[in-house]
Amino acid sequence: FFFRNPNSFTVIMKLAILSLLIGSAAAFAPSVKPARTTALNMAFEGELGAQPPIGFWDPLGLVADGNQSNFDRLRYVEIKHGRVAMLAVLGHVVTAAGIRLPGSIDLAGDVPFTSIPTGLKALSMIPGGGLLQLFAFIGILEIFVMKDITGGEFVGDFRNGFIDFGWDTFDEETKLQKR
């Protein structure tokens, strides 16, 4: 009964469009947000890696309590796993380029390295003993090698007094830039 008159239909449509426009404009109106600046949120603003405009970003609140030792442990784990991820990408790129070790992966010579595909498909081609050796080697690296034994100069310094590559010849500004 509202649409018997064509003019009333036009008026209703215009009002519907106007209300949609007003409603969509409200989506862009500024909203009031409570200030959340506390000393705990600012505890790590001066740390290496905190960059404008975000600053120190901890979306899960893992170090919201300002615990420095917890922050150092998380940074250590992040650096270690980042280095492992970089090595994994490099390994994938090398094998995808067709560069393989000579010989076979098993003692019988049934599975040559050239027949092993790249990526996760490779795990299905490695014999069970080889997988055991692979995971044992990773465990040894995790437990004994990739550790910050001596304390180092900074979190993630895995040199442990063994390899330097000229690090001690850099000035402090260069060291900070390279970290």
Side-chain angles (χ1 to χ4, degrees), residues 19-39:
S19 65
L20 285 172
L21 288 174
I22 291 172
S24 65
F28 298 104
S31 63
V32 178
K33 294 180 182 177
R36 292 183 12 167
T37 303
T38 66

Side-chain angles (χ1 to χ4, degrees), residues 95-129:
T95 56
I99 301 170
R100 307 294 167 93
L101 293 171
S104 300
I105 195 166
D106 60 347
L107 294 176
D110 297 332
V111 185
F113 284 111
T114 55
S115 70
I116 298 177
T118 62
L120 293 175
K121 292 180 189 174
L123 291 175
S124 65
M125 297 290 294
I126 300 174

